Amino acid sequence: SNSPAWTTCKLHFQKTNLAEIVGELERFYNVSIELNTGELDSMTMTGTFENVSIEQVLSSICLTLDLHIQYRHNEVLYILSN
């Protein structure tokens, strides 16, 4: 199962849906992330991230799932479908 990030100092996702990944990233990095469509919620990804920035994690997710990010001035990040 997915280990809590705060006990392992790394993020590990095993066929985890994007909605759950976003929730974990928000807690881990203290950011706000929005998915622009409910269709993205159920997309899944497997991966481990250790000692990387939120930008690096999001870049990897977007590259893997063919999505893109829009950064907003109010610190909210939007993940958009292509």
Side-chain angles (χ1 to χ4, degrees):
S1 68
N2 299 325
S3 299
W6 57 90
T7 62
T8 61
C9 297
K10 68 180 176 183
L11 294 165
H12 175 72
F13 303 112
Q14 181 70 38
K15 295 181 182 172
T16 307
N17 68 53
L18 195 53
E20 191 176 331
I21 290 172
V22 163
E24 192 72 19
L25 293 176
E26 288 180 321
R27 287 187 293 276
F28 194 77
Y29 290 100
N30 194 29
V31 296
S32 184
I33 302 169
E34 300 288 335
L35 301 174
N36 79 322
T37 171
E39 294 173 10
L40 298 180
D41 289 354
S42 59
M43 296 181 83
T44 62
M45 183 175 163
T46 296
T48 301
F49 302 98
E50 190 169 10
N51 300 321
V52 293
S53 68
I54 182 65
E55 291 83 8
Q56 289 171 297
V57 174
L58 290 174
S59 291
S60 294
I61 290 171
C62 289
L63 187 64
T64 302
L65 300 177
D66 192 27
L67 304 172
H68 66 275
I69 308 164
Q70 184 175 73
Y71 294 93
R72 293 285 175 96
H73 297 296
N74 60 0
E75 301 299 315
V76 177
L77 311 173
Y78 290 91
I79 298 179
L80 312 169
S81 56
N82 282 334

